[in-house]
Amino acid sequence: MPLSEPAPRQHLHDRRVHCAGYRRDDGLWDIEGHLVDTKTYGFDNAHRGRIEPGVPVHQMWLRITVDDDLVIQAVEATTEHGPYRICPDITPSYQRLVGLKVGPGFRRRVAERVGGVEGCTHLSELLGPMATTAFQTMAGRRRARQTAEPGRPPRFLDTCHAHARTSAVVKELYPQHYTGE
Protein backbone atom coordinates (compact mmCIF):
# COMPACT_ATOMS: atom_id res chain seq x y z
CA MET A 1 0.00 0.00 0.00
CA PRO A 2 1.53 3.36 -0.99
CA LEU A 3 1.82 6.36 1.30
CA SER A 4 -1.15 8.68 1.67
CA GLU A 5 -1.52 11.78 -0.52
CA PRO A 6 1.05 14.33 0.73
CA ALA A 7 0.49 17.97 1.55
CA PRO A 8 1.38 20.43 -1.24
CA ARG A 9 5.16 20.57 -1.51
CA GLN A 10 8.21 21.30 -3.66
CA HIS A 11 10.63 18.51 -4.68
CA LEU A 12 14.20 19.60 -3.83
CA HIS A 13 16.46 16.59 -3.31
CA ASP A 14 16.88 12.99 -4.47
CA ARG A 15 19.03 10.30 -2.90
CA ARG A 16 19.38 7.07 -4.83
CA VAL A 17 20.94 4.05 -3.21
CA HIS A 18 21.48 0.90 -5.22
CA CYS A 19 23.01 -2.26 -3.81
CA ALA A 20 23.73 -5.53 -5.59
CA GLY A 21 25.20 -8.84 -4.51
CA TYR A 22 27.28 -11.26 -6.57
CA ARG A 23 28.69 -14.76 -6.11
CA ARG A 24 32.23 -14.78 -7.46
CA ASP A 25 33.78 -17.67 -9.35
CA ASP A 26 36.43 -17.98 -6.62
CA GLY A 27 33.77 -18.66 -3.97
CA LEU A 28 33.77 -15.20 -2.39
CA TRP A 29 30.92 -12.69 -2.54
CA ASP A 30 30.98 -9.10 -3.83
CA ILE A 31 28.49 -6.64 -2.40
CA GLU A 32 28.38 -3.31 -4.23
CA GLY A 33 26.74 -0.07 -3.19
CA HIS A 34 26.20 3.12 -5.18
CA LEU A 35 24.89 6.37 -3.71
CA VAL A 36 23.85 9.43 -5.73
CA ASP A 37 22.49 12.73 -4.35
CA THR A 38 21.06 15.32 -6.74
CA LYS A 39 19.16 18.59 -6.39
CA THR A 40 16.26 19.80 -8.51
CA TYR A 41 17.79 23.27 -8.64
CA GLY A 42 21.19 24.65 -9.59
CA PHE A 43 23.54 26.23 -7.06
CA ASP A 44 27.06 27.60 -6.82
CA ASN A 45 29.69 25.52 -5.04
CA ALA A 46 33.02 27.04 -3.96
CA HIS A 47 34.96 23.89 -4.91
CA ARG A 48 33.16 22.72 -8.04
CA GLY A 49 31.64 25.84 -9.50
CA ARG A 50 28.02 25.73 -10.61
CA ILE A 51 26.21 22.44 -9.96
CA GLU A 52 23.21 22.23 -12.24
CA PRO A 53 19.93 20.45 -11.45
CA GLY A 54 20.30 16.68 -11.72
CA VAL A 55 24.12 16.73 -11.59
CA PRO A 56 25.33 14.64 -8.64
CA VAL A 57 26.38 16.50 -5.52
CA HIS A 58 27.48 13.14 -4.08
CA GLN A 59 28.25 10.02 -6.08
CA MET A 60 30.07 7.23 -4.30
CA TRP A 61 30.75 3.58 -4.98
CA LEU A 62 31.71 0.93 -2.46
CA ARG A 63 32.49 -2.76 -2.90
CA ILE A 64 33.10 -5.18 -0.08
CA THR A 65 34.21 -8.74 -0.75
CA VAL A 66 33.18 -11.21 1.95
CA ASP A 67 33.70 -14.90 2.59
CA ASP A 68 31.00 -17.42 3.53
CA ASP A 69 31.23 -16.27 7.16
CA LEU A 70 30.61 -12.63 6.12
CA VAL A 71 34.14 -11.55 7.03
CA ILE A 72 35.31 -8.69 4.81
CA GLN A 73 38.27 -9.81 2.69
CA ALA A 74 38.66 -6.72 0.48
CA VAL A 75 37.24 -3.21 0.12
CA GLU A 76 37.16 -0.75 -2.74
CA ALA A 77 35.76 2.75 -2.25
CA THR A 78 35.57 5.64 -4.66
CA THR A 79 34.09 9.12 -4.64
CA GLU A 80 33.20 10.25 -8.14
CA HIS A 81 31.42 13.43 -7.00
CA GLY A 82 31.58 15.21 -3.65
CA PRO A 83 30.97 18.80 -2.63
CA TYR A 84 34.66 19.38 -1.83
CA ARG A 85 37.89 18.61 -3.69
CA ILE A 86 39.22 16.66 -0.70
CA CYS A 87 36.26 14.26 -0.46
CA PRO A 88 37.98 11.46 -2.46
CA ASP A 89 41.06 11.65 -0.18
CA ILE A 90 39.35 9.61 2.57
CA THR A 91 38.48 6.53 0.50
CA PRO A 92 41.71 4.62 1.37
CA SER A 93 40.57 4.65 5.02
CA TYR A 94 37.90 2.10 4.13
CA GLN A 95 40.66 -0.53 3.95
CA ARG A 96 40.33 -0.55 7.76
CA LEU A 97 37.15 -2.60 7.28
CA VAL A 98 39.11 -5.65 6.07
CA GLY A 99 38.72 -8.38 8.68
CA LEU A 100 35.44 -7.01 10.04
CA LYS A 101 32.49 -9.43 10.21
CA VAL A 102 29.12 -8.30 8.90
CA GLY A 103 26.67 -9.19 11.66
CA PRO A 104 25.52 -7.97 15.07
CA GLY A 105 27.41 -4.81 16.09
CA PHE A 106 28.59 -4.15 12.52
CA ARG A 107 27.53 -0.50 12.41
CA ARG A 108 29.21 0.22 15.74
CA ARG A 109 32.46 -1.41 14.59
CA VAL A 110 32.30 0.50 11.28
CA ALA A 111 31.96 3.75 13.25
CA GLU A 112 34.98 2.82 15.37
CA ARG A 113 37.12 2.34 12.25
CA VAL A 114 35.85 4.97 9.81
CA GLY A 115 33.48 7.17 11.80
CA GLY A 116 33.61 10.94 12.12
CA VAL A 117 36.71 12.54 10.59
CA GLU A 118 38.16 9.09 9.85
CA GLY A 119 35.67 8.47 7.05
CA CYS A 120 32.89 9.82 4.84
CA THR A 121 29.37 10.03 6.24
CA HIS A 122 27.85 8.94 2.93
CA LEU A 123 30.15 5.95 2.33
CA SER A 124 29.67 4.80 5.92
CA GLU A 125 25.87 5.13 5.66
CA LEU A 126 25.97 3.05 2.48
CA LEU A 127 27.37 0.12 4.47
CA GLY A 128 24.01 -0.33 6.25
CA PRO A 129 22.00 -1.31 3.17
CA MET A 130 25.03 -3.18 1.84
CA ALA A 131 25.07 -5.37 4.96
CA THR A 132 21.41 -6.21 4.41
CA THR A 133 22.17 -6.91 0.75
CA ALA A 134 24.92 -9.31 1.82
CA PHE A 135 22.48 -11.27 3.97
CA GLN A 136 19.89 -11.37 1.18
CA THR A 137 22.48 -12.35 -1.44
CA MET A 138 23.79 -15.20 0.67
CA ALA A 139 20.39 -16.36 1.97
CA GLY A 140 20.34 -19.59 -0.04
CA ARG A 141 23.88 -20.49 0.95
CA ARG A 142 23.25 -19.65 4.59
CA ARG A 143 20.01 -21.67 4.56
CA ALA A 144 21.92 -24.69 3.22
CA ARG A 145 24.51 -24.32 6.00
CA GLN A 146 21.71 -23.98 8.56
CA THR A 147 20.14 -27.24 7.33
CA ALA A 148 23.50 -28.93 7.83
CA GLU A 149 23.40 -27.84 11.51
CA PRO A 150 20.05 -29.28 12.69
CA GLY A 151 18.67 -27.96 15.95
CA ARG A 152 20.60 -24.72 15.75
CA PRO A 153 18.23 -21.74 15.58
CA PRO A 154 18.37 -19.63 12.42
CA ARG A 155 20.57 -16.58 12.96
CA PHE A 156 17.83 -14.22 11.84
CA LEU A 157 15.50 -15.11 14.73
CA ASP A 158 14.63 -12.05 16.83
CA THR A 159 16.00 -9.63 14.22
CA CYS A 160 12.59 -8.19 13.26
CA HIS A 161 8.89 -8.34 14.12
CA ALA A 162 8.12 -11.22 11.74
CA HIS A 163 11.07 -13.28 12.93
CA ALA A 164 10.40 -12.83 16.67
CA ARG A 165 10.48 -16.18 18.42
CA THR A 166 6.93 -15.38 19.58
CA SER A 167 5.53 -14.62 16.10
CA ALA A 168 3.05 -16.65 14.07
CA VAL A 169 5.66 -16.87 11.29
CA VAL A 170 8.20 -18.59 13.53
CA LYS A 171 5.46 -20.81 14.98
CA GLU A 172 4.60 -21.94 11.43
CA LEU A 173 8.08 -22.22 9.87
CA TYR A 174 10.33 -22.96 12.86
CA PRO A 175 8.04 -24.47 15.52
CA GLN A 176 11.00 -25.96 17.42
CA HIS A 177 12.23 -22.39 18.11
CA TYR A 178 8.84 -20.86 18.87
CA THR A 179 8.57 -19.49 22.42
CA GLY A 180 5.14 -17.83 22.34
CA GLU A 181 2.03 -18.97 24.15
Side-chain angles (χ1 to χ4, degrees):
M1 175 170 74
L3 298 172
S4 63
E5 186 67 28
R9 60 193 184 173
Q10 180 184 9
H11 182 198
L12 299 174
H13 181 82
D14 267 323
R15 169 165 282 185
R16 307 268 182 209
V17 173
H18 179 259
C19 297
Y22 305 90
R23 177 73 165 161
R24 292 170 30 149
D25 292 346
D26 63 4
L28 296 175
W29 307 81
D30 279 341
I31 309 301
E32 294 184 356
H34 181 214
L35 178 145
V36 181
D37 282 333
T38 58
K39 302 290 185 192
T40 61
Y41 57 89
F43 64 97
D44 293 324
N45 176 284
H47 291 254
R48 289 179 45 194
R50 181 94 180 146
I51 299 176
E52 295 298 336
V55 172
V57 178
H58 298 105
Q59 184 166 11
M60 286 96 171
W61 300 84
L62 189 56
R63 176 186 302 132
I64 59 173
T65 301
V66 299
D67 63 16
D68 284 345
D69 294 319
L70 289 164
V71 175
I72 297 175
Q73 303 297 309
V75 177
E76 183 177 349
T78 184
T79 297
E80 192 170 340
H81 294 289
Y84 310 107
R85 283 184 208 100
I86 66 170
C87 288
D89 296 350
I90 200 66
T91 58
S93 295
Y94 284 81
Q95 294 305 308
R96 297 177 193 160
L97 301 178
V98 172
L100 197 63
K101 182 179 175 89
V102 178
F106 179 66
R107 290 181 193 209
R108 178 185 46 77
R109 290 191 305 277
V110 165
E112 290 168 355
R113 295 182 185 203
V114 292
V117 299
E118 298 298 318
C120 165
T121 299
H122 306 293
L123 283 169
S124 294
E125 286 176 358
L126 190 53
L127 285 161
M130 289 176 67
T132 303
T133 301
F135 280 103
Q136 293 295 324
T137 300
M138 298 172 69
R141 174 82 169 172
R142 294 173 68 78
R143 210 173 358 262
R145 287 176 73 184
Q146 183 71 40
T147 304
E149 302 171 12
R152 183 175 175 178
R155 294 180 186 182
F156 55 79
L157 287 185
D158 290 330
T159 61
C160 74
H161 173 71
H163 291 144
R165 290 175 191 259
T166 56
S167 79
V169 172
V170 170
K171 184 177 183 179
E172 174 189 346
L173 300 176
Y174 307 98
Q176 70 275 28
H177 303 295
Y178 177 72
T179 61
E181 296 176 17

